[in-house]
Amino acid sequence: MGVFVFSLLLMMPLAAPPAKIALGNCESTCGGVDIPYPFGTSYGCHRRGFRVTCDRTHRPPKLFLQSNGPEVLEISVRNATVRVRAVVWSFAAAGSNASDVVKVTVLPSNLRPYALSAARNALVVVGCGFQLQAAARPTTTTRTPFGSCAPSCPAAEPSGLRHGRRECDGVGCCQAPIPAGITSSFHVNLSWLDRNATAAPPPPSWVAPGARMVTVEKEWWSHRRNALAAKMSLLLSSARGADGLVIPAVLDWALNASSCAAAAKRSDFGCVSKNSECVNSTSSAAAGYVCRCNDGYDGNPYLPGGCQDPRMRLAPGVFLSMGVGIGMCLLLLVLAAIYAIKRLRARKVKKVREYFFKQNRGLLLQQLVDKDIAERMIFKREELEKATAKFDEARILGGGGHGTVYKGILLNQHVVAIKKSKFVIQKEIDEFINEVAILSQINHRNVVKLFGCCLRDRVYEFIPNGTLYAHLHVGGSQRSLPWKDRLRIAFEVADSLAYLHSAASISIVHRDTKTSNILLDDRLTAKVSDFGASRGIAVDQSSVTTGIQGTHGYMDPEYCYTARLTDKSDVYSYGVMLVELLTRKKPSMYMSPEGASLVVHFTMLLNQDKLYDILDEQVIEEGEDEV
Ligand SMILES: *[C@@H]1O[C@H](CO)[C@@H](O)[C@H](O)[C@H]1NC(C)=O
Ligand SMILES: *[C@@H]1O[C@H](CO)[C@@H](O)[C@H](O)[C@H]1NC(C)=O
Ligand SMILES: *[C@@H]1O[C@H](CO)[C@@H](O)[C@H](O)[C@H]1NC(C)=O
Ligand SMILES: *[C@@H]1O[C@H](CO)[C@@H](O)[C@H](O)[C@H]1NC(C)=O
Ligand SMILES: *[C@@H]1O[C@H](CO)[C@@H](O)[C@H](O)[C@H]1NC(C)=O
Ligand SMILES: *[C@@H]1O[C@H](CO)[C@@H](O)[C@H](O)[C@H]1NC(C)=O
């Protein structure tokens, strides 16, 4: 990693920053070929006529002009050219026809803004015993050809053919210039000098029979590195369709307009970059214009802000040592930054812990921070994945906006409920740490047991029978929990609240006591759950001031009014829960005909000795003897 960063940094000051070449989110490369605007692969990404197609059925993908044009090897904005794969034409050996007049299609005729570059291509013909004439139109091949050649063929192999010393000079190979203005096709007339070639001696062994012709990039063809013989045989295999051999040709392109003056008046004027200028196209393409970055700038003049000052970049070599120096400095800076960030993170984690440490009088998290407990309580993600079969949907027990609860089986065969949080908002993290801190303190048979946690997931004892709320508020005429069970559950909840308030090392106020936070196990034993909002109150304090938190209908009005939290707040909520157990009405929703809340209505009826008006039928029925 260090070495990687180091080498990156070394390169940074020396290489140009990667300038933007394409529009917005447009594809800017295909199979290693850059696609600068005005070219583009999709609608909105290219100028009219400059569509290219990236064919991903090839490995690596290949880029094509339009959809039916030649394969693109390189696009140059600065030269206004495209290098494409050249096509090699093949003419059969003499014998059958005295002469062939063929139309040579370089580009499909619908490719508008392109033309074969006259300056950068040549017509190259390889073979023996023929004369070839090329002209723009078929009728002019013999009268005004633009090129004509007839290679000679000595019986002995010419010297230098295999050693890169011989050019295409008329011995077995000849070349002719290409005129401006070939946008699609031209015509050739190839006539064999010896019509009876089959009877004549075969061509010398150093040249293959037949003729091959190509319009090819001059610079590439005349490059001395490859021997002429090698290039001649490359033409031969290319003509046979060998795909891997690439012979380049160069196309010019221009933007469509009669001149710069005319183009500049139009809304689609292409030279949009600052520091760019319009130039009448001198290429062989149909009248048009191209854009150039002004002297001292380079980049893509067809993009807003595309032309940039290259002096911003440091020349390699001259500034090499400077680059190395800057690179080292940057490396040190980055390393220092990484270190600093790590320290900061560690400090933040510590701060969060300290915060809760303070808030809960230190007693809670002190234990969590304790190594043994932490190690026992922290589950690895993989362990939880194993326990829930990768959080299988079939294992979902329930869930809501906050997260999903899964049933899981730990390695030690404990059946657990795993609460997987959805969000990482600070409030939830706070609640999470709070709950872990509080529950790790508590061991009571009527309080749900927390086995551990893992980042944002919590692992609880599995309570199979759902919430008291669900048991109580069953629909329609269905019978609800028997009164006996309701009474026992009330005792159990009271017992656990009393424990929380007084028996634990600090007084814990649950703060959200309600039937939907009471879980029931297989024997309908109550388990108090959801300690996300709970707070510890030190023994020497009777209350703390907090933000108001709780559930409407259950909340202690005094706490609501004063924001002073005491254990009495839980007692009030517990009382509301008792009313709920007696009446089977939902405290957060109930409204009497006079608009009173459940508690107000209940106490009113109690005072008027009319309690039977509101009691649950089932309670009246089952509890009669005791009441
Ligand atoms: C641009 O043109 C110059 C001069 O013809 C040539 O040497 C260079 O290779 C061209 N660059 C590209 C990318 O075609
Ligand atoms: C000979 O010429 C005819 C018509 O001009 C053409 O159809 C045929 O393909 C040519 N044969 C060869 C081998 O070029
Ligand atoms: C092709 O060239 C030969 C030889 O120069 C000539 O006799 C013949 O008329 C030409 N054919 C055409 C169609 O121009
Ligand atoms: C070509 O060969 C035929 C017979 O095969 C002969 O009649 C004709 O004269 C020969 N033409 C030339 C130009 O040699
Ligand atoms: C582009 O050029 C063609 C002819 O080459 C012309 O018919 C057409 O009107 C031009 N388009 C624009 C927008 O100028
Ligand atoms: C471009 O061509 C037009 C006429 O076609 C001419 O008036 C104008 O001066 C030329 N501009 C440049 C910059 O050469």
Side-chain angles (χ1 to χ4, degrees), residues 90-130:
S90 189
F91 300 87
S96 42
N97 288 350
S99 71
D100 291 321
V101 175
V102 294
K103 181 175 169 184
V104 174
T105 302
V106 192
L107 292 167
S109 57
N110 63 343
L111 296 191
R112 266 286 131 222
Y114 306 97
L116 212 49
S117 170
R120 300 205 28 210
N121 296 299
L123 183 68
V124 166
V125 191
V126 166
C128 270
F130 58 84

Side-chain angles (χ1 to χ4, degrees), residues 368-512:
L368 237 205
V369 176
D370 174 54
K371 276 252 157 54
D372 283 351
I373 292 187
E375 239 152 65
R376 179 163 55 76
M377 292 209 33
I378 288 169
F379 285 86
K380 291 218 175 69
R381 182 82 182 175
E382 300 88 72
E383 219 171 327
L384 298 190
E385 278 181 356
K386 209 174 226 174
T388 54
K390 298 215 159 128
F391 295 104
D392 188 1
E393 280 188 11
R395 300 284 190 92
I396 292 181
L397 293 171
H402 294 252
T404 315
V405 182
Y406 294 84
K407 183 175 177 177
I409 299 166
L410 295 180
L411 290 178
N412 59 11
Q413 300 305 313
H414 267 129
V415 180
V416 290
I418 296 174
K419 189 167 174 184
K420 191 166 184 277
S421 297
K422 237 184 232 164
F423 308 114
V424 202
I425 55 175
Q426 192 53 43
K427 184 165 174 286
E428 301 234 329
I429 295 175
D430 294 351
E431 284 181 3
F432 171 55
I433 296 180
N434 192 42
E435 177 161 11
V436 171
I438 288 195
L439 279 179
S440 67
Q441 285 282 297
I442 297 170
N443 190 4
H444 187 276
R445 62 185 289 268
N446 295 119
V447 175
V448 72
K449 206 165 164 41
L450 178 76
F451 286 136
C453 60
C454 160
L455 284 179
R456 286 143 50 203
D457 311 326
R458 281 161 266 188
V459 182
Y460 303 95
E461 155 187 31
F462 177 63
I463 313 294
N465 242 336
T467 65
L468 174 57
Y469 182 92
H471 277 267
L472 216 49
H473 302 290
V474 288
S477 54
Q478 253 181 298
R479 285 189 83 79
S480 174
L481 276 177
W483 169 239
K484 255 193 176 152
D485 284 322
R486 290 192 218 178
L487 212 50
R488 180 180 45 75
I489 289 166
F491 276 123
E492 285 168 349
V493 174
D495 193 42
S496 63
L497 287 179
Y499 168 82
L500 291 172
H501 291 168
S502 56
S505 51
I506 73 167
S507 183
I508 295 164
V509 180
H510 184 279
R511 233 173 151 198
D512 202 8

Side-chain angles (χ1 to χ4, degrees), residues 194-337:
D194 183 359
R195 294 180 58 177
N196 285 356
T198 42
S205 58
W206 59 271
V207 57
R212 278 149 309 275
M213 180 187 76
V214 68
T215 54
V216 61
E217 184 180 8
K218 263 197 290 199
E219 206 176 293
W220 180 88
W221 180 259
S222 60
H223 205 283
R224 281 299 189 85
R225 203 173 51 221
N226 297 322
L228 182 58
K231 287 184 279 198
M232 285 164 67
S233 66
L234 183 58
L235 282 196
L236 183 63
S237 31
S238 236
R240 283 188 193 133
D243 197 43
L245 308 164
V246 177
I247 300 171
V250 178
L251 306 181
D252 289 323
W253 50 265
L255 272 48
N256 191 2
S258 54
S259 71
C260 278
K265 290 194 194 108
R266 296 203 330 223
S267 61
D268 66 350
F269 184 49
C271 311
V272 294
S273 174
K274 258 199 294 192
N275 307 312
S276 73
E277 59 183 348
C278 176
V279 180
N280 286 346
S281 173
T282 53
S283 80
S284 42
Y289 67 99
V290 294
C291 308
R292 293 258 155 81
C293 287
N294 291 342
D295 287 347
Y297 293 87
D298 63 15
N300 189 342
Y302 303 96
L303 287 177
C307 292
Q308 286 165 359
D309 188 347
R311 280 168 300 189
M312 302 305 283
R313 310 163 191 184
L314 301 177
V318 180
F319 293 104
L320 183 71
S321 51
M322 201 172 133
V324 170
I326 293 173
M328 298 274 273
C329 287
L330 282 176
L331 174 67
L332 285 178
L333 274 177
V334 165
L335 289 181

Side-chain angles (χ1 to χ4, degrees), residues 467-470 472-473 493 497 509-518 548-560 565-590 597-600:
T467 65
L468 174 57
Y469 182 92
L472 216 49
H473 302 290
V493 174
L497 287 179
V509 180
H510 184 279
R511 233 173 151 198
D512 202 8
T513 308
K514 57 179 176 179
T515 47
S516 53
N517 279 341
I518 312 291
I548 312 290
Q549 203 172 339
T551 303
H552 173 71
Y554 292 90
M555 230 191 306
D556 172 14
E558 191 181 322
Y559 162 55
C560 233
L565 180 70
T566 70
D567 50 10
K568 303 289 184 298
S569 312
D570 276 354
V571 175
Y572 181 90
S573 304
Y574 176 76
V576 177
M577 203 191 83
L578 286 183
V579 172
E580 188 179 353
L581 284 175
L582 282 168
T583 61
R584 218 142 71 75
K585 305 267 187 294
K586 298 176 184 174
S588 50
M589 289 187 204
Y590 181 83
S597 73
L598 179 60
V599 173
V600 171

